[in-house]
Amino acid sequence: MTGYIHSTESFGTVDGPGVRFVIFFQGCPMRCLYCHNPDTWEINGGEEMTAEQLLTMFEKNRVFYKHGGITCTGGEPMRQLPFLTELFRLAKMRGIHTCLDTSGICFDPENTAAADEMLAVTDLVMLDIKHIDDEVHRRLTGHSNRNILAFAEHIPERGVELWIRHVIVPGYTDGEEEQSALGYFIGGLKTLKGLDVLPYHDMGKRKYAELGIPYPLEGVKPVTADDAQTARERIMSGIKARLRAEKENGSGR
Ligand code: SF4
């Protein structure tokens, strides 16, 4: 089996714990307005590679990955689910920590068998929830968040650790109400281990120009670290409110 790979990064430090071998999958059905990897969108692109080839690249620097492992990101890795599962299965056989960075858009709540096979060989899922409100989510990404939220709830049911990622985008995800509601939702996810609140930046702008695609957020200012911190505190308040509510009605952890 082969997968379509956009690129790899040997020493990733922001996509999961420790130093990681990061594999960028080709292809993504979403069209997030703030995407900084539009060059990964096309399904028919990238280099065709086998899982063994990728693991050989990992092994070359294995000594550096002692506290890290492999992260698959993209693009959308679940767009190539059978290949992703094979790669993680072989990685687990070699004792490698496996992390999936995903938007969750390819998850089908009506038919979870293939996703469950993948989750059985996944140590950590970093799930990017773009917006908690379905209508705004559609404006921001071109898709409903229904299956994404279903995936967020499904991952703990399979006992897999979960980190949530959320990008703060002016005019879309910078409202207090949205941030508290997101926190309240993710506070109910029993295997939640981390929260990354990321400020919107426009560093991908150059790629849009190269691809001849108009930049969707032209004129929108990058978010400061302080604003991202404020957003994080609001999301944390939502998480705490959920945990308090669960404790009060006796369904807490
Ligand atoms: S899911 Fe990720 S790769 Fe796909 S459009 Fe959104 S930000 Fe870009």
Side-chain angles (χ1 to χ4, degrees):
M1 199 189 301
T2 53
Y4 293 88
I5 304 302
H6 174 272
S7 55
T8 60
E9 187 186 332
S10 299
F11 302 109
T13 54
V14 293
D15 293 304
V19 177
R20 309 191 68 87
F21 182 57
V22 184
I23 303 169
F24 294 84
F25 279 50
Q26 188 71 33
C28 181
M30 300 263 268
R31 290 294 178 268
C32 305
L33 298 181
Y34 58 83
C35 180
H36 56 262
N37 289 328
D39 47 338
T40 63
W41 286 348
E42 278 310 312
I43 302 300
N44 302 317
E47 188 181 346
E48 218 175 319
M49 296 181 80
T50 63
E52 287 293 349
Q53 279 175 305
L54 289 161
L55 290 170
T56 301
M57 291 169 79
F58 174 89
E59 296 291 354
K60 272 189 199 152
N61 295 310
R62 185 159 188 155
V63 64
F64 295 103
Y65 304 130
K66 214 160 80 185
H67 304 293
I70 287 181
T71 295
C72 290
T73 181
E76 175 45 64
M78 288 180 71
R79 177 70 183 65
Q80 302 182 57
L81 190 53
F83 178 72
L84 173 67
T85 304
E86 174 171 283
L87 175 62
F88 276 2
R89 190 174 52 77
L90 294 175
K92 288 314 303 167
M93 284 167 70
R94 297 179 186 212
I96 301 168
H97 183 273
T98 54
C99 170
L100 166 66
D101 177 19
T102 179
S103 72
I105 189 64
C106 297
F107 179 68
D108 178 0
E110 312 301 328
N111 183 6
T112 67
D116 289 344
E117 217 182 298
M118 178 272 294
L119 289 173
V121 284
T122 302
D123 292 306
L124 171 67
V125 177
M126 301 178 83
L127 179 67
D128 194 344
I129 299 182
K130 318 287 185 181
H131 205 290
I132 195 68
D133 179 87
D134 194 42
E135 195 269 320
V136 188
H137 192 279
R138 286 172 192 267
R139 277 196 278 128
L140 189 60
T141 71
H143 290 263
S144 164
N145 67 8
R146 197 180 70 94
N147 291 358
I148 294 164
L149 299 185
F151 192 43
E153 289 175 327
H154 186 75
I155 293 163
E157 285 170 16
R158 308 305 297 182
V160 179
E161 291 193 348
L162 182 62
W163 282 13
I164 297 296
R165 295 185 130 179
H166 186 60
V167 182
I168 304 305
V169 189
Y172 289 90
T173 60
D174 55 350
E176 187 165 359
E177 202 180 318
E178 183 270 338
Q179 292 162 356
S180 302
L182 175 69
Y184 199 83
F185 173 77
I186 64 179
L189 307 172
K190 309 288 185 228
T191 57
L192 182 71
K193 289 284 182 281
L195 169 68
D196 280 344
V197 179
L198 308 165
Y200 159 74
H201 63 72
D202 59 5
M203 287 186 279
K205 214 168 164 179
R206 180 185 48 84
K207 291 186 185 173
Y208 284 80
E210 283 167 10
L211 293 166
I213 306 171
Y215 188 65
L217 294 183
E218 193 59 66
V220 173
K221 289 207 166 45
V223 168
T224 65
D226 281 354
D227 287 346
Q229 181 56 28
T230 302
R232 186 185 168 82
E233 284 160 15
R234 290 171 178 165
I235 296 169
M236 288 303 299
S237 299
I239 293 176
K240 286 176 193 157
R242 177 65 174 264
L243 295 177
R244 265 198 313 277
E246 288 187 356
K247 206 170 166 192
E248 277 161 25
N249 72 20
S251 62
R253 276 156 248 187

